[in-house]
Amino acid sequence: MSSTPPWNVRRLPAADGRVFLVTGGNAGIGYFVAEQLSATGATVVLGSRSPAKAEAATASIRARVPGARVRAVRLDLADLPSLETAVASMGVERLDAVVHNAGVALDDPPREETADGHELMFGTNHLGHFALTRWLMPLLSAAPAARVVTMGSFAAKSERLDLDDPQSRRDYQPKRAYGRSKLAQMYFGVELDRRLRAAGSPVVSVIAHPGGALDSLTPSRPPIHVRTTGARLGAAPAALLVQGKHAGAWPAVRAVLDPAVRGGQLWGPRVFGLRGEPRREPVWNHLADPGVAARLWEASCALTGVDFRTVIPV
């Protein structure tokens, strides 16, 4: 018989004294990851491009979580040269977990680029987190058992990477480019864990996805998110298949906190991978291809100009 109690999304284990960073923690799923982690007693740092939005999110969390230890750092994943400075500005001696949640999703053409010349979704969602992880590694390595939790997407399950055109220069389709950017993130999470294990690091890498998470099923957190009665009623049938963003946060929160979670695992919603409490699920077949993961890693090093060998010597 196990002495570990069943996982309860509404009764999370205490994490006093630990420090967590949530990218994109000012809105959407990232906000709810931050709110839920704040309730554990941990210090939660919101990474956000907008100081005003981060301030609103911080105030909302403090109003709902008495005594919450939450603050913000300016973080723009589309601006690669700024990331080293952003990490230094956090002012912490160690980091127990980072949740790579922030992301850009475009629905319509034309193709857009970051200031560094990368396709906006691939550059922000994948390359930004890739580079950020390199600068965070000294802080993560200073913790006794840190975790890198990468939030992928169910949309990535049906996609495949084109490593001859990772930035969609030849044939840009926004929804496909988004799915591939999230798939690249997930490959990164798997390959990062493999390299950490080979280097004997105590840091582990875990991937998660939120399933189907809709604004219309998400409880209000004004001014971060306001759900109207009409939206709530109109979305009621969808609740049979998908869920709100508060529930979409559950797999990432469990990946941060559950002592039973191990590196290289994938966590998602229990019901068809779309809704429900978080559970471990098999790593998708295409994510288990080490050749693709290794090629993506080398391409990402070249595109970002970061050198992981100084922090993960393999």
Side-chain angles (χ1 to χ4, degrees):
M1 297 264 317
S2 172
S3 61
T4 304
W7 188 259
N8 187 332
V9 297
R10 294 172 182 83
R11 186 172 294 178
L12 300 175
D16 300 80
R18 295 163 73 185
V19 182
F20 304 138
L21 170 65
V22 182
T23 71
N26 61 277
I29 291 171
Y31 169 84
F32 286 97
V33 171
E35 182 184 280
Q36 291 166 29
L37 291 176
S38 293
T40 68
T43 295
V44 178
V45 182
L46 310 183
S48 173
R49 287 179 300 172
S50 167
K53 290 181 179 179
E55 183 178 351
T58 299
S60 176
I61 291 172
R62 287 175 176 160
R64 299 189 63 86
V65 183
R69 299 178 179 92
V70 58
R71 55 189 178 84
V73 63
R74 191 177 186 283
L75 185 66
D76 186 352
L77 292 165
D79 182 4
L80 297 179
S82 73
L83 297 179
E84 183 179 7
T85 301
V87 169
S89 73
M90 287 174 58
V92 299
E93 295 181 354
R94 75 167 200 274
L95 189 64
D96 295 277
V98 56
V99 179
H100 288 327
N101 162 83
V104 175
L106 301 180
D107 293 324
D108 302 300
R111 181 181 178 277
E112 298 183 30
E113 292 188 348
T114 69
D116 303 305
H118 303 302
E119 189 277 314
L120 185 61
M121 290 182 282
F122 183 78
T124 303
N125 302 354
H126 170 58
L127 294 179
H129 283 118
F130 183 89
L132 176 65
T133 304
R134 185 266 173 260
W135 300 118
L136 289 175
M137 278 307 303
L139 295 177
L140 292 162
S141 298
R147 297 180 181 184
V148 178
V149 177
T150 298
M151 183 70 90
S153 170
F154 198 75
K157 193 169 189 177
S158 59
E159 293 294 345
R160 300 296 183 271
L161 293 183
D162 181 355
L163 291 175
D164 294 322
D165 185 26
Q167 308 217 55
S168 304
R169 297 185 187 279
R170 290 196 298 263
D171 180 19
Y172 176 70
Q173 298 177 36
K175 291 188 186 306
R176 185 180 68 185
Y178 171 76
R180 287 180 173 180
S181 74
K182 300 302 288 185
L183 179 58
Q185 278 190 270
M186 297 174 82
Y187 269 115
F188 163 63
V190 172
E191 179 67 5
L192 175 63
D193 192 72
R194 188 193 69 77
R195 290 173 182 254
L196 290 167
R197 299 286 66 70
S201 172
V203 182
V204 301
S205 173
V206 185
I207 53 177
H209 72 88
L214 303 182
D215 280 329
S216 54
L217 294 172
T218 303
S220 290
R221 293 291 189 272
I224 311 303
H225 167 67
V226 178
R227 180 176 63 162
T228 65
T229 301
R232 178 173 59 83
L233 295 175
L240 297 173
L241 295 175
V242 292
Q243 59 194 355
K245 293 186 174 179
H246 61 303
W250 292 342
V253 170
R254 185 167 187 176
V256 168
L257 295 172
D258 188 347
V261 169
R262 298 289 180 264
Q265 293 179 346
L266 170 62
W267 289 78
R270 184 175 302 279
V271 183
F272 304 119
L274 290 172
R275 64 182 298 273
E277 299 209 356
R279 67 168 176 93
R280 181 186 175 188
E281 61 182 83
V283 174
W284 304 336
N285 287 338
H286 56 305
L287 275 177
D289 186 331
V292 173
R295 284 184 62 197
L296 175 65
W297 183 281
E298 295 305 322
S300 301
C301 286
L303 290 167
T304 60
V306 302
D307 186 354
F308 266 89
R309 290 172 297 181
T310 58
V311 289
I312 308 176
V314 290

